[in-house]
Amino acid sequence: MTIFPNPPASPQSPAPAPTESGDISLRKLLDALIDRKRIIFLSVIVFMLAGYFHASSQPRIYQSDALIQVENRAAILGLLQSLAGGEQMGNPTAAELEILQSRMVMGETVDRLDLTLVIEPRRMPWVGDFLVNHGVRHAWLERFTPTFVRERLPGALASSGSPYVWAGESLRISRFEVPAQGEGLRHTLRVTGADTYELLLDGTRLLRGRSGETARNDEGYRLFVSQMVAHPGAEFEVSRVSRLSAIGQLQRNFMIVPRGKDSGVYQVFLSGPDRSLTQQTLDTITGVFLTQNVQRQSEEAEKQIAFLDEQIPQVNAQLTEAENQLNSYRAQRDSVDLTFETQNLLNRMVAVENQLTELALAEADLAERFRPTHPNYQALLRQRSQLQAERERLNGLVGELPETQQEVLRLTRDTQVNQQVYVQLLNQRQEMRLLKAGTVGNVRILDNAEMRPGAISPRIPLTTLVSAMIGAVLACVGVILRLLLSQAIKSPDQLDEIGLPVYATLPASQEQTRLTRQIRPTGSKQQQDVFRGLLAVADPAELAVEALRSLRTSLYFAMLEAGNNRLMIAGAGPGAGKSFVAANLATVCAQAGQRVLLIDADMRRGRLHHAFHAKGMPGLSELLAQRIEPSEAIRTSEVEGLDYVARGTVPPNPSELLMQRSFHDFLQAMSEDYDLVVIDTPPVLAVTDAAIVGKLAGTSLLVVRFGVSPPAEIKAAKRRLESAGVRLKGAILNGLEKPAGSRYGHYGNYIYAYR
């Protein structure tokens, strides 16, 4: 079905075309996505391959895990726990977990395993990691690489001197000592033989050595390679980083996850690129943590024992002196006895003195742990002040007793207090010795380190899938944005609003696409599409050809009012398809029995001669320059009744040639010899040639490209022609695309084909 205008002389007026809403509906979006399914599919494939390549090029990361238990109790050490009545120390479990991640534990691990030594194999740029991760070995390259590739890529792929390290090649170093100025520098270890190597720094050789032997030099370098499996020429980057950097890297790769709420059981993880080293490192971390926990508990017991050993002799001396004084006084006074009330007062005073003594011992222990502002320290001071007040009150009661009773009470009190303190200290020292002997700590390793099967990173299937989804989303977003932001003509109604009735809509043709190829005209940097052959001849049943036949019928009536039989086919800009329309319209008119002359008036970049498989010269430019006669410019074609005039040699002044009288006389003569003269012109907005030709043509049509030509461009072309006195008869909507949702030909876009 072809849309025709309502020409005044038309005997029939076709039914009005269904209108198309300018709003973007969900159906239009879906149709646009389905129409661009190839682009979306290509984007998915490209992103999927890129994601797979990226993931496969990343180093494999492995993970080891272990299970530990931290009991929520502290060792019963010293007198602090029983005497300090204030706020207790913080959560011991949280403290142990912080110790587990501390530089003390991590640093000991770094020192034991020598993790400050970093060895990195040299890989081929861009694809080296990808090939190695897929198991490509150096021997395979030498076996399967063609000779000409080996000659063109010396020392890169298949040469025995390749510096790149491939799958199955490794290096183990047991000792690497560098001087102070060499720390942090990247040294190169190059394999020179089956078991020999050399160490380089910035291209300067530092030393040579053999695996299994210690190599050294006078500058302070000392190297022992324990294992070396690599082809001659392979290079490894060897460096000694700072201890703090190695600890930081270990802490970043370490993770603690609780197992169950308040269970005290924690799962620890360590990730790294080396399977065996990762497991060994995690085992070392847990071992160091357990050892230091036991040592820490034992050290606290040792401190308590040392403190008690220092206090016991002093208390023993005080006890002996107090007993001697009491016995001496009683001997002088003939064995004075205490009354019942005085005995009770003595017991109360002894109890207070014992408590004050215990607090004094506790204060000495707290002074080594906390500052006086600590809550535990403050609680002890408050308790001591209360006991001192009680002692002052009891001393006041003692002052009311007779002098003899007071003295006996004082001496007896000193003796009993020192005796109880002495016995208590002996008991505590024995308890501390038993506790030290049985110290096991509050940490247990439930499960030793084990490697998880396979690598945890990168996740190649997931990355590939996500990349494919990203590609699909980006392609869909691009299609939708193009649809939303595009201002191109998508409906004949838009041309009607501009004031150009649509004479025909030509669907996009697959056969025409096959006939079209790209060329780069001389002096131009951009490629242009040219068609080799006529669609009306190659596939007469094509929908676009059927639409041109309908246009032929419509033009028959439209040109009845015209002043002559000349038809100008113009376009607002390049790429509209005006040459295709002009050539094939002239063909279908000639096939209907008319004598048709096709003139290529685009003397700058005219390409009509390609449709006839001919050259562009001689042609119109030579004719207008009066170098050839009209009979020499007019050529016959394979279609009976169709002649054409090529553009000719590109002249320096095409517009001036068209304005000469010779062009007017030529058209006048051709109008008498032919039934129809079709003129193809340059783009209207590019040059003024179309306006000159339009003044000499009785009928002018503007070709508009569906989805390409914007309305503003069409309006500008229409205004330019009208300002030159050229009245456009109408428009031809070319390249109409079939929507994906249409099931019946191009019915949804005003074209219906019946076969």
Side-chain angles (χ1 to χ4, degrees), residues 486-490 494-495 498 708-717 719:
S486 175
Q487 301 296 327
I489 297 294
K490 293 186 176 65
Q494 295 176 269
L495 294 174
I498 296 175
V708 176
S709 303
E713 184 179 278
I714 306 305
K715 294 178 182 178
R719 285 195 301 268

Side-chain angles (χ1 to χ4, degrees), residues 69 125 212 217 263 309 337 345 366 368 417 532 540 578 586 594 602 665 699 718:
Q69 179 187 13
N217 64 4
S263 65
D309 289 341
D337 294 329
L345 182 61
L366 281 178
E368 297 180 359
V417 167
R532 295 282 184 175
K578 55 181 182 54
Q594 294 179 299
D602 186 358
D665 296 339
T699 306
K718 182 173 179 291

Side-chain angles (χ1 to χ4, degrees), residues 33-49:
L33 293 177
I34 297 175
D35 287 340
R36 300 293 188 273
K37 58 182 178 294
R38 293 185 178 178
I39 297 178
I40 297 175
F41 179 75
L42 180 61
S43 176
V44 169
I45 295 298
V46 170
F47 272 80
M48 182 174 64
L49 293 177

Side-chain angles (χ1 to χ4, degrees), residues 1-3 17-20 491-493 505 746-752:
M1 175 179 174
T2 304
I3 300 301
T19 61
E20 182 176 338
S491 168
D493 295 334
T505 54
H746 289 259
Y747 182 77
N749 284 286
Y750 316 108
I751 295 179
Y752 177 75

Side-chain angles (χ1 to χ4, degrees), residues 82-112:
S82 60
L83 298 177
E87 181 182 355
Q88 297 297 314
M89 297 175 60
N91 185 0
T93 301
E96 293 294 344
L97 295 180
E98 291 298 326
I99 293 173
L100 177 58
Q101 304 175 81
S102 66
R103 286 199 295 266
M104 177 181 65
V105 175
M106 298 296 177
E108 180 68 21
T109 304
V110 168
D111 295 339
R112 289 188 183 184

Side-chain angles (χ1 to χ4, degrees), residues 152-174:
R152 281 176 166 72
L153 299 175
L157 276 176
S159 172
S160 60
S162 169
Y164 306 118
V165 179
W166 301 95
E169 299 179 334
S170 62
L171 176 69
R172 295 287 182 183
I173 297 178
S174 300

Side-chain angles (χ1 to χ4, degrees), residues 469-519:
M469 294 175 62
I470 293 175
V473 170
L474 291 180
C476 292
V477 170
V479 171
I480 293 174
L481 288 178
R482 180 183 178 186
L483 180 64
L484 296 176
L485 300 178
S486 175
Q487 301 296 327
I489 297 294
K490 293 186 176 65
S491 168
D493 295 334
Q494 295 176 269
L495 294 174
D496 291 334
E497 294 173 359
I498 296 175
L500 290 176
V502 180
Y503 269 67
T505 54
L506 308 182
S509 171
Q510 296 294 333
E511 179 64 20
Q512 180 61 34
T513 303
R514 187 185 66 81
L515 295 174
T516 303
R517 69 181 185 92
Q518 289 188 333
I519 65 169

